[in-house]
Amino acid sequence: MVQSKNLFNNNWSFNNFYFEADFPLVELNFERKTIKLTTDIKIAIDNALNSERPFKELIKVFNTFGYLLSLKIILGQKLRRSCILQKELDLVDQQLEFEENYSSELDKLFILWKDQYGFDEEYLMSINGKVVRKNDIEKWLNEHLKQDLKLLRIIGQSELVPLYELFEEPVRGNIKSILGIDNLPKILMTGVVQMIKNVEYYNVDFPSHLESSNYHIFAKVTRSNKSSFDVIDKAVVKIRSSNRTGFLAIIEKFDEMNDLNAEHLQIMWVLIGFPDEINFYSPHTRELSILSIETQDVDIDKSSVLISAPEKLPEES
Protein backbone atom coordinates (compact mmCIF):
# COMPACT_ATOMS: atom_id res chain seq x y z
CA MET A 1 0.00 0.00 0.00
CA VAL A 2 1.35 3.42 -0.94
CA GLN A 3 0.07 6.66 0.53
CA SER A 4 1.18 10.01 -0.89
CA LYS A 5 1.82 12.71 1.67
CA ASN A 6 3.80 15.92 1.31
CA LEU A 7 5.72 16.45 4.55
CA PHE A 8 7.86 19.47 3.71
CA ASN A 9 7.10 21.58 0.65
CA ASN A 10 5.85 21.38 -2.91
CA ASN A 11 9.25 20.26 -4.20
CA TRP A 12 9.59 17.19 -1.99
CA SER A 13 7.00 14.50 -1.39
CA PHE A 14 7.52 11.52 0.91
CA ASN A 15 5.20 8.52 0.80
CA ASN A 16 4.58 5.77 3.32
CA PHE A 17 4.93 2.39 1.64
CA TYR A 18 3.88 -0.86 3.31
CA PHE A 19 4.36 -4.29 1.77
CA GLU A 20 3.10 -7.56 3.24
CA ALA A 21 3.21 -11.10 1.87
CA ASP A 22 1.15 -13.71 3.73
CA PHE A 23 1.78 -17.44 3.38
CA PRO A 24 -1.22 -19.20 4.98
CA LEU A 25 -0.83 -22.88 5.81
CA VAL A 26 -3.55 -23.73 8.35
CA GLU A 27 -7.03 -22.33 8.97
CA LEU A 28 -8.59 -22.95 12.38
CA ASN A 29 -12.33 -22.49 12.89
CA PHE A 30 -14.03 -22.61 16.29
CA GLU A 31 -17.68 -22.87 17.26
CA ARG A 32 -18.66 -20.57 20.08
CA LYS A 33 -20.63 -23.27 21.90
CA THR A 34 -17.53 -25.48 22.14
CA ILE A 35 -15.39 -22.81 23.84
CA LYS A 36 -15.11 -23.27 27.60
CA LEU A 37 -14.06 -20.52 29.97
CA THR A 38 -11.24 -21.26 32.39
CA THR A 39 -11.72 -21.26 36.14
CA ASP A 40 -9.26 -18.37 36.47
CA ILE A 41 -11.26 -16.00 34.28
CA LYS A 42 -14.54 -16.99 35.94
CA ILE A 43 -13.11 -16.18 39.37
CA ALA A 44 -11.60 -12.91 38.11
CA ILE A 45 -14.92 -11.78 36.58
CA ASP A 46 -16.84 -12.78 39.71
CA ASN A 47 -14.47 -10.76 41.92
CA ALA A 48 -14.76 -7.75 39.60
CA LEU A 49 -18.56 -7.87 39.61
CA ASN A 50 -18.65 -8.02 43.41
CA SER A 51 -16.50 -4.90 43.66
CA GLU A 52 -18.00 -1.47 44.29
CA ARG A 53 -15.77 -0.22 41.46
CA PRO A 54 -16.59 -2.93 38.93
CA PHE A 55 -15.77 -0.97 35.77
CA LYS A 56 -12.07 -0.58 36.54
CA GLU A 57 -11.86 -4.12 37.89
CA LEU A 58 -13.42 -5.51 34.69
CA ILE A 59 -10.95 -3.54 32.58
CA LYS A 60 -8.11 -5.11 34.58
CA VAL A 61 -9.54 -8.57 33.88
CA PHE A 62 -9.85 -7.92 30.14
CA ASN A 63 -6.35 -6.43 30.04
CA THR A 64 -5.13 -9.75 31.44
CA PHE A 65 -7.26 -12.23 29.48
CA GLY A 66 -8.07 -10.18 26.38
CA TYR A 67 -11.09 -8.31 25.06
CA LEU A 68 -11.88 -10.32 21.93
CA LEU A 69 -11.78 -13.95 20.89
CA SER A 70 -11.27 -14.95 17.26
CA LEU A 71 -13.37 -17.80 15.90
CA LYS A 72 -11.19 -17.99 12.78
CA ILE A 73 -7.39 -18.02 12.95
CA ILE A 74 -4.95 -18.29 10.05
CA LEU A 75 -1.55 -19.86 10.77
CA GLY A 76 1.45 -19.58 8.52
CA GLN A 77 4.26 -17.13 7.82
CA LYS A 78 4.52 -13.51 6.81
CA LEU A 79 7.05 -11.17 5.23
CA ARG A 80 6.64 -7.41 5.42
CA ARG A 81 8.40 -4.13 4.89
CA SER A 82 7.55 -0.52 5.50
CA CYS A 83 9.57 2.38 4.15
CA ILE A 84 9.32 5.95 2.90
CA LEU A 85 9.63 6.66 -0.80
CA GLN A 86 10.48 10.02 -2.31
CA LYS A 87 8.04 10.16 -5.17
CA GLU A 88 4.71 11.80 -5.94
CA LEU A 89 2.08 9.05 -5.76
CA ASP A 90 -1.64 8.70 -5.31
CA LEU A 91 -3.12 6.34 -2.74
CA VAL A 92 -2.64 2.79 -3.98
CA ASP A 93 -3.92 -0.41 -2.39
CA GLN A 94 -3.00 -3.65 -4.15
CA GLN A 95 -3.86 -7.18 -3.05
CA LEU A 96 -2.51 -10.03 -5.16
CA GLU A 97 -2.80 -13.79 -4.68
CA PHE A 98 -0.22 -16.36 -5.77
CA GLU A 99 -0.99 -20.06 -5.40
CA GLU A 100 2.49 -21.28 -6.38
CA ASN A 101 5.98 -20.10 -7.43
CA TYR A 102 5.99 -17.56 -4.62
CA SER A 103 9.62 -16.54 -5.04
CA SER A 104 9.51 -15.91 -8.80
CA GLU A 105 6.20 -14.06 -8.55
CA LEU A 106 7.59 -11.83 -5.81
CA ASP A 107 10.64 -11.07 -7.97
CA LYS A 108 8.36 -9.93 -10.79
CA LEU A 109 6.40 -7.80 -8.33
CA PHE A 110 9.54 -6.16 -6.96
CA ILE A 111 10.70 -5.26 -10.48
CA LEU A 112 7.28 -3.78 -11.28
CA TRP A 113 7.17 -1.75 -8.06
CA LYS A 114 10.71 -0.52 -8.56
CA ASP A 115 9.70 0.97 -11.92
CA GLN A 116 6.32 2.31 -10.79
CA TYR A 117 6.96 3.40 -7.21
CA GLY A 118 10.70 3.44 -6.69
CA PHE A 119 10.49 0.53 -4.24
CA ASP A 120 14.01 -0.92 -4.20
CA GLU A 121 14.49 -2.27 -0.67
CA GLU A 122 17.11 -5.00 -0.28
CA TYR A 123 15.39 -6.94 2.50
CA LEU A 124 12.07 -7.81 4.13
CA MET A 125 11.20 -8.59 7.74
CA SER A 126 9.75 -11.85 9.01
CA ILE A 127 6.98 -11.99 11.59
CA ASN A 128 9.67 -12.76 14.18
CA GLY A 129 11.56 -9.60 13.29
CA LYS A 130 14.36 -11.33 11.40
CA VAL A 131 15.89 -9.81 8.26
CA VAL A 132 15.29 -11.76 5.03
CA ARG A 133 17.20 -10.42 2.03
CA LYS A 134 15.43 -10.51 -1.31
CA ASN A 135 18.00 -12.92 -2.72
CA ASP A 136 17.33 -15.32 0.17
CA ILE A 137 13.52 -15.32 0.00
CA GLU A 138 13.31 -18.65 -1.84
CA LYS A 139 15.58 -20.31 0.73
CA TRP A 140 13.60 -18.77 3.58
CA LEU A 141 10.32 -20.01 2.08
CA ASN A 142 11.66 -23.55 1.74
CA GLU A 143 12.68 -23.54 5.39
CA HIS A 144 9.57 -21.94 6.86
CA LEU A 145 6.71 -23.29 4.75
CA LYS A 146 7.17 -26.82 5.99
CA GLN A 147 4.40 -28.71 7.76
CA ASP A 148 6.05 -28.06 11.10
CA LEU A 149 3.79 -26.78 13.86
CA LYS A 150 6.72 -25.11 15.61
CA LEU A 151 7.19 -22.80 12.62
CA LEU A 152 3.57 -21.67 12.40
CA ARG A 153 2.62 -18.17 13.49
CA ILE A 154 -0.71 -16.35 13.67
CA ILE A 155 -0.94 -14.20 10.54
CA GLY A 156 -4.67 -13.45 10.47
CA GLN A 157 -7.76 -13.39 12.68
CA SER A 158 -11.43 -12.78 11.94
CA GLU A 159 -14.95 -13.38 13.26
CA LEU A 160 -14.09 -11.62 16.51
CA VAL A 161 -16.38 -12.12 19.51
CA PRO A 162 -16.27 -10.02 22.71
CA LEU A 163 -15.04 -12.16 25.58
CA TYR A 164 -18.04 -11.27 27.75
CA GLU A 165 -20.37 -12.89 25.19
CA LEU A 166 -19.03 -16.31 26.27
CA PHE A 167 -20.56 -15.94 29.74
CA GLU A 168 -24.05 -17.11 30.60
CA GLU A 169 -26.80 -14.86 31.91
CA PRO A 170 -27.05 -13.06 34.26
CA VAL A 171 -23.25 -12.60 34.32
CA ARG A 172 -23.13 -11.50 30.67
CA GLY A 173 -25.88 -8.94 31.24
CA ASN A 174 -24.14 -7.56 34.33
CA ILE A 175 -20.87 -7.14 32.46
CA LYS A 176 -22.55 -5.35 29.55
CA SER A 177 -24.47 -3.11 31.95
CA ILE A 178 -21.31 -2.08 33.82
CA LEU A 179 -19.34 -1.52 30.62
CA GLY A 180 -22.15 0.69 29.32
CA ILE A 181 -22.82 -1.36 26.19
CA ASP A 182 -26.46 -0.21 26.26
CA ASN A 183 -25.37 3.43 26.87
CA LEU A 184 -28.08 3.87 29.52
CA PRO A 185 -27.70 5.43 32.98
CA LYS A 186 -27.96 3.17 36.01
CA ILE A 187 -28.98 3.47 39.64
CA LEU A 188 -25.48 3.40 41.06
CA MET A 189 -26.16 4.07 44.71
CA THR A 190 -29.00 4.53 47.20
CA GLY A 191 -29.13 5.81 50.75
CA VAL A 192 -31.37 6.65 53.69
CA VAL A 193 -30.82 9.59 56.05
CA GLN A 194 -32.66 9.67 59.36
CA MET A 195 -34.25 13.07 59.90
CA ILE A 196 -33.78 15.05 63.11
CA LYS A 197 -36.32 17.35 64.71
CA ASN A 198 -35.99 21.01 63.64
CA VAL A 199 -33.12 20.22 61.20
CA GLU A 200 -33.70 21.06 57.53
CA TYR A 201 -30.12 20.80 56.14
CA TYR A 202 -28.43 17.40 55.82
CA ASN A 203 -24.89 16.83 54.57
CA VAL A 204 -24.59 13.37 52.97
CA ASP A 205 -21.20 11.70 52.41
CA PHE A 206 -20.76 8.94 49.85
CA PRO A 207 -19.24 5.67 51.08
CA SER A 208 -16.46 6.13 48.52
CA HIS A 209 -15.11 9.05 46.50
CA LEU A 210 -16.44 9.13 42.95
CA GLU A 211 -14.37 9.85 39.85
CA SER A 212 -16.90 12.28 38.41
CA SER A 213 -19.65 14.56 39.66
CA ASN A 214 -21.66 14.07 36.47
CA TYR A 215 -24.62 12.37 38.14
CA HIS A 216 -28.16 13.13 39.30
CA ILE A 217 -29.59 12.76 42.80
CA PHE A 218 -33.31 12.19 43.37
CA ALA A 219 -34.65 12.29 46.92
CA LYS A 220 -37.96 12.12 48.79
CA VAL A 221 -39.03 12.37 52.42
CA THR A 222 -40.64 9.16 53.64
CA ARG A 223 -42.36 8.08 56.83
CA SER A 224 -42.02 4.59 58.16
CA ASN A 225 -42.69 2.69 61.33
CA LYS A 226 -43.35 -0.90 62.24
CA SER A 227 -46.76 -0.96 60.57
CA SER A 228 -46.65 1.43 57.60
CA PHE A 229 -44.57 3.23 54.98
CA ASP A 230 -45.54 6.23 52.87
CA VAL A 231 -44.07 9.19 50.96
CA ILE A 232 -44.52 12.72 52.31
CA ASP A 233 -45.43 14.59 49.14
CA LYS A 234 -45.76 17.98 50.81
CA ALA A 235 -42.04 17.94 51.64
CA VAL A 236 -39.64 18.84 48.81
CA VAL A 237 -35.98 17.80 48.92
CA LYS A 238 -33.58 20.04 47.01
CA ILE A 239 -30.05 18.81 46.25
CA ARG A 240 -27.23 21.33 46.43
CA SER A 241 -23.41 21.34 46.49
CA SER A 242 -23.13 17.91 44.87
CA ASN A 243 -19.54 16.80 44.22
CA ARG A 244 -17.44 13.64 44.17
CA THR A 245 -17.61 13.18 47.95
CA GLY A 246 -21.27 13.90 48.71
CA PHE A 247 -24.09 16.43 48.55
CA LEU A 248 -26.31 18.71 50.62
CA ALA A 249 -30.02 17.88 51.00
CA ILE A 250 -32.33 20.78 51.91
CA ILE A 251 -35.92 20.22 53.08
CA GLU A 252 -38.25 22.86 51.64
CA LYS A 253 -41.69 23.59 53.13
CA PHE A 254 -40.15 22.41 56.37
CA ASP A 255 -42.78 24.15 58.51
CA GLU A 256 -45.54 22.01 57.02
CA MET A 257 -44.05 18.93 58.70
CA ASN A 258 -44.07 20.26 62.25
CA ASP A 259 -46.96 17.97 63.11
CA LEU A 260 -44.99 14.86 62.08
CA ASN A 261 -42.77 12.85 64.39
CA ALA A 262 -39.18 13.27 63.10
CA GLU A 263 -38.26 9.85 64.50
CA HIS A 264 -40.40 8.28 61.77
CA LEU A 265 -39.08 10.45 58.92
CA GLN A 266 -36.23 9.67 56.55
CA ILE A 267 -34.72 11.09 53.38
CA MET A 268 -34.45 8.35 50.77
CA TRP A 269 -32.17 9.16 47.83
CA VAL A 270 -30.83 7.51 44.68
CA LEU A 271 -27.80 8.42 42.56
CA ILE A 272 -28.12 7.90 38.81
CA GLY A 273 -25.22 7.97 36.36
CA PHE A 274 -22.93 5.86 34.18
CA PRO A 275 -20.73 3.21 35.87
CA ASP A 276 -17.76 3.78 33.56
CA GLU A 277 -17.76 7.52 34.28
CA ILE A 278 -18.55 7.49 38.00
CA ASN A 279 -16.54 4.30 38.67
CA PHE A 280 -18.88 3.20 41.41
CA TYR A 281 -21.76 0.73 41.18
CA SER A 282 -23.18 -0.72 44.37
CA PRO A 283 -23.83 -4.49 44.14
CA HIS A 284 -27.12 -3.83 45.98
CA THR A 285 -28.65 -1.67 43.22
CA ARG A 286 -27.83 -3.68 40.11
CA GLU A 287 -31.21 -5.41 40.09
CA LEU A 288 -32.94 -2.01 40.00
CA SER A 289 -33.91 -0.62 36.60
CA ILE A 290 -34.71 2.87 35.38
CA LEU A 291 -37.98 2.51 33.51
CA SER A 292 -37.88 5.88 31.80
CA ILE A 293 -36.05 9.21 31.83
CA GLU A 294 -37.92 12.05 30.16
CA THR A 295 -38.32 15.81 30.46
CA GLN A 296 -41.61 17.68 30.55
CA ASP A 297 -42.46 21.37 30.69
CA VAL A 298 -44.28 22.34 33.88
CA ASP A 299 -46.61 25.30 34.44
CA ILE A 300 -45.67 26.65 37.88
CA ASP A 301 -49.09 28.29 38.22
CA LYS A 302 -50.82 24.91 38.30
CA SER A 303 -51.16 23.03 41.55
CA SER A 304 -50.88 19.61 39.87
CA VAL A 305 -49.15 18.16 36.83
CA LEU A 306 -50.22 15.12 34.81
CA ILE A 307 -47.29 12.93 33.79
CA SER A 308 -47.83 10.16 31.28
CA ALA A 309 -46.35 6.80 32.23
CA PRO A 310 -44.25 4.98 29.61
CA GLU A 311 -46.01 2.28 27.62
CA LYS A 312 -45.26 -1.44 28.03
CA LEU A 313 -43.91 -1.22 31.55
CA PRO A 314 -42.63 -4.48 33.03
CA GLU A 315 -45.01 -6.40 35.26
CA GLU A 316 -44.92 -5.53 38.98
CA SER A 317 -43.26 -2.19 38.18
Side-chain angles (χ1 to χ4, degrees):
M1 182 172 66
V2 181
Q3 183 176 6
S4 178
K5 186 175 182 181
N6 193 320
L7 300 179
F8 296 97
N9 53 49
N10 294 330
N11 297 324
W12 293 89
S13 182
F14 291 84
N15 307 275
N16 298 322
F17 189 101
Y18 179 76
F19 165 81
E20 179 178 297
D22 294 341
F23 305 96
L25 294 177
V26 178
E27 179 178 304
L28 301 178
N29 292 278
F30 303 93
E31 293 186 11
R32 186 188 302 190
K33 62 182 180 181
T34 64
I35 300 174
K36 304 298 181 182
L37 295 166
T38 65
T39 301
D40 288 343
I41 190 173
K42 289 181 179 179
I43 293 175
I45 288 292
D46 186 59
N47 291 337
L49 292 179
N50 288 328
S51 168
E52 290 185 338
R53 298 183 179 275
F55 179 79
K56 275 196 170 180
E57 294 304 316
L58 283 176
I59 295 301
K60 291 180 182 178
V61 173
F62 293 130
N63 283 339
T64 300
F65 293 94
Y67 289 81
L68 300 170
L69 185 69
S70 177
L71 300 181
K72 182 177 180 179
I73 298 177
I74 306 298
L75 302 178
Q77 286 292 338
K78 177 185 296 187
L79 291 175
R80 55 193 173 188
R81 185 78 165 96
S82 61
C83 59
I84 297 178
L85 305 180
Q86 182 185 324
K87 193 171 184 179
E88 186 66 34
L89 298 171
D90 295 326
L91 180 64
V92 178
D93 189 353
Q94 291 186 353
Q95 294 184 358
L96 305 175
E97 292 187 8
F98 306 134
E99 296 184 358
E100 56 185 9
N101 301 324
Y102 296 131
S103 181
S104 60
E105 293 295 338
L106 283 176
D107 286 339
K108 295 177 184 178
L109 192 61
F110 292 149
I111 294 173
L112 176 64
W113 282 356
K114 180 179 180 180
D115 295 336
Q116 289 185 345
Y117 310 131
F119 178 77
D120 190 24
E121 301 301 315
E122 291 298 323
Y123 66 91
L124 302 175
M125 301 295 296
S126 72
I127 198 170
N128 294 329
K130 294 183 178 180
V131 174
V132 180
R133 296 192 173 277
K134 288 198 295 186
N135 295 335
D136 297 329
I137 288 179
E138 184 173 1
K139 177 183 177 182
W140 183 89
L141 290 174
N142 292 332
E143 293 176 351
H144 289 78
L145 296 187
K146 300 175 182 178
Q147 295 298 326
D148 187 346
L149 295 179
K150 295 180 180 180
L151 298 176
L152 296 180
R153 298 292 183 268
I154 296 177
I155 63 173
Q157 300 182 71
S158 60
E159 299 181 24
L160 301 177
V161 177
L163 192 59
Y164 59 75
E165 289 290 355
L166 301 181
F167 287 86
E168 301 290 338
E169 293 291 354
V171 175
R172 179 171 64 240
N174 289 336
I175 295 174
K176 294 171 70 174
S177 176
I178 292 168
L179 294 180
I181 303 299
D182 55 7
N183 197 33
L184 295 175
K186 307 294 187 300
I187 299 176
L188 304 181
M189 191 188 311
T190 62
V192 178
V193 179
Q194 177 62 48
M195 294 186 63
I196 303 173
K197 185 177 181 180
N198 298 328
V199 176
E200 55 184 305
Y201 295 89
Y202 295 86
N203 187 54
V204 180
D205 294 325
F206 296 138
S208 178
H209 288 192
L210 311 181
E211 291 196 0
S212 170
S213 56
N214 185 24
Y215 58 78
H216 296 283
I217 298 284
F218 297 91
K220 293 291 291 185
V221 174
T222 62
R223 176 173 52 189
S224 63
N225 51 45
K226 295 181 179 180
S227 59
S228 64
F229 173 87
D230 60 331
V231 177
I232 308 301
D233 290 323
K234 61 183 178 181
V236 178
V237 182
K238 290 293 184 71
I239 305 300
R240 296 289 184 268
S241 303
S242 56
N243 53 49
R244 293 189 296 172
T245 61
F247 61 91
L248 178 66
I250 304 174
I251 309 300
E252 293 193 346
K253 299 183 179 181
F254 185 77
D255 295 338
E256 297 185 16
M257 296 192 301
N258 289 336
D259 58 329
L260 302 178
N261 187 348
E263 293 182 358
H264 298 158
L265 300 179
Q266 306 86 28
I267 300 173
M268 298 188 67
W269 58 270
V270 298
L271 183 149
I272 294 177
F274 294 91
D276 57 332
E277 184 175 5
I278 302 300
N279 193 28
F280 186 95
Y281 198 174
S282 172
H284 306 296
T285 64
R286 296 177 194 173
E287 298 298 325
L288 302 177
S289 299
I290 300 174
L291 301 181
S292 177
I293 296 181
E294 299 180 6
T295 59
Q296 181 173 328
D297 295 332
V298 176
D299 188 347
I300 60 176
D301 295 329
K302 293 184 177 181
S303 59
S304 61
V305 178
L306 178 62
I307 299 178
S308 300
E311 298 181 358
K312 299 180 180 180
L313 289 176
E315 295 182 2
E316 301 180 358
S317 61

